[in-house]
Amino acid sequence: MFDPSVTIFESTQNRLAESPLWHPMLNTFYWVDINKKLLLSKKIHSESQLKIVNMPDTLSAIAWIDEQHLLLGTSTGLYKYHINSSTRHLILNIENTQLNRRSNDGRADPWGGFWLSTMDVNAKKGDGKIYRYYKHQLKAVVSGLSIPNGLCFDKPRLRGYYCDSLTSCIYVLDLDEQTGEPCSEPRVFYQFNNTDVDPDGCVTDQLGNLWLAVWGMGCVICLSPGGELIKTIKLCAIKPTCTAFGGKNAELLLVTSAFDESINNTVTEQGAVFKISGIKNGQFEPRVLLYFIIHSACFKVMVSF
């Protein structure tokens, strides 16, 4: 078994950092701060500057499209974002007229689709949903959740995973081989015995193992495709939120975290972004494929360094 090394990749205290993403064409890590409505990015070398972009709405999930663009999942919908100009164009709205709603976890699937969850801003039980956007069609694929998280995919096994953090449970769906469309009812993949901790964001490696950030436990755990615990990696932050592979050979695991007000705010590890080195069998995130001309609405957003 490998011996991972944990360091702080970016010490800025995020309020609620989420959706880490390695852009393999730009060699850059991206992530969001949901509470501050920020898109943040930084290259992997130590002298790289942190770039911060302010968004007009709550940004919670991102994926990459090509060398120039990201896909943004926000509280108002999906947007195509031009990285260099910091402009974004509306693709479609999602629940944008419901003021008590916001987006949450999201991730691209290996078929070129994008999955995005939504929830009540106060985590009202049963109000969470998961949507899939594929070939210009948006479809609700799971409903009745509370805090939907943990979206990730295992293409060789034709599986899609998600969590409901409130129930401390990870679920699995069967996916169609040709389209990636869900083709089964969800079933329990892993149930935490301690319901005071919350499974949050996760990603799969080439072997189908899940690397899961566990909110409230201050760790990342690795689960086999059979649901067996392989490894636990402790972090200094009590509330890790999500994981993503990155680096030249996907040998790094980036872990975002949230600020914990119960801990003295001078402790910078809370809300920091962590880098776990020595990971084996990592893989890059797939791109989102767009098949159409987007709407004409365009927004300029604010950038700072």
Side-chain angles (χ1 to χ4, degrees):
M1 179 56 70
F2 68 96
D3 185 22
S5 172
V6 181
T7 57
I8 293 180
F9 172 67
E10 173 53 49
S11 61
T12 298
Q13 282 189 310
N14 298 271
R15 297 300 298 183
L16 182 54
E18 268 284 7
S19 193
L21 171 73
W22 173 258
H23 195 313
M25 300 181 74
L26 301 178
N27 296 321
T28 301
F29 269 124
Y30 291 84
W31 67 96
V32 308
D33 188 328
I34 293 177
N35 287 6
K36 293 183 179 180
K37 301 180 181 180
L38 299 178
L39 173 66
L40 305 99
S41 61
K42 188 177 180 181
K43 293 188 179 294
I44 202 66
H45 51 80
S46 58
E47 65 272 17
S48 176
Q49 278 190 309
L50 176 67
K51 181 180 178 181
I52 302 173
V53 181
N54 295 275
M55 292 288 159
D57 52 5
T58 301
L59 171 64
S60 68
I62 53 177
W64 69 281
I65 298 171
D66 54 35
E67 190 172 5
Q68 298 182 355
H69 299 94
L70 300 177
L71 184 77
L72 308 182
T74 82
S75 56
T76 59
L78 297 180
Y79 295 84
K80 185 178 182 181
Y81 173 75
H82 190 269
I83 296 170
N84 289 336
S85 67
S86 300
T87 55
R88 61 184 212 173
H89 295 261
L90 178 66
I91 297 173
L92 54 79
N93 293 122
I94 303 176
E95 299 183 1
N96 59 302
T97 61
Q98 303 178 48
L99 299 181
N100 64 330
R101 308 285 292 169
R102 74 163 176 85
S103 58
N104 199 41
D105 193 41
R107 194 178 293 274
D109 70 35
W111 291 264
F114 183 72
W115 298 49
L116 181 70
S117 67
T118 63
M119 59 180 286
D120 181 84
V121 293
N122 296 310
K124 184 179 178 182
K125 188 174 181 179
D127 270 15
K129 293 182 180 180
I130 297 174
Y131 293 89
R132 184 184 188 227
Y133 176 73
Y134 181 65
K135 292 187 175 181
H136 195 35
Q137 294 185 349
L138 183 73
K139 183 177 181 179
V141 293
V142 182
S143 59
L145 306 173
S146 299
I147 308 177
N149 271 309
L151 290 167
C152 63
F153 308 94
D154 180 355
K155 189 174 184 181
R157 292 171 181 80
L158 298 176
R159 291 180 178 180
Y161 295 96
Y162 68 90
C163 307
D164 190 343
S165 296
L166 194 65
T167 64
S168 302
C169 191
I170 307 172
Y171 300 90
V172 61
L173 290 162
D174 295 329
L175 304 178
D176 181 83
E177 183 176 7
Q178 299 301 317
T179 66
E181 184 82 8
C183 57
S184 75
E185 292 297 315
R187 58 190 182 274
V188 174
F189 173 74
Y190 189 86
Q191 176 71 63
F192 284 84
N193 294 324
N194 182 357
T195 55
D196 291 331
V197 301
D198 300 330
D200 208 323
C202 61
V203 69
T204 55
D205 65 20
Q206 295 181 53
L207 302 181
N209 301 314
L210 277 73
W211 295 83
L212 173 76
V214 188
W215 176 286
M217 256 177 72
C219 68
V220 170
I221 65 171
C222 180
L223 299 171
S224 75
E228 296 145 349
L229 180 62
I230 297 175
K231 186 77 173 178
T232 299
I233 304 173
K234 295 296 292 182
L235 303 173
C236 299
I238 301 301
K239 295 178 177 178
T241 57
C242 196
T243 55
F245 289 111
K248 184 178 180 180
N249 299 303
E251 75 283 4
L252 305 173
L253 190 70
L254 188 76
V255 187
T256 49
S257 72
F259 181 75
D260 191 330
E261 294 181 354
S262 67
I263 297 177
N264 190 309
N265 61 15
T266 61
V267 181
T268 58
E269 289 88 350
Q270 311 308 313
V273 180
F274 297 87
K275 181 178 68 176
I276 303 177
S277 304
I279 299 293
K280 297 180 179 180
N281 306 308
Q283 60 182 346
F284 297 132
E285 288 295 291
R287 71 172 70 199
V288 174
L289 300 178
L290 299 183
Y291 295 85
F292 66 102
I293 299 174
I294 59 176
H295 296 252
S296 60
C298 176
F299 304 90
K300 180 74 175 180
V301 288
M302 301 297 294
V303 184
S304 60
F305 292 91

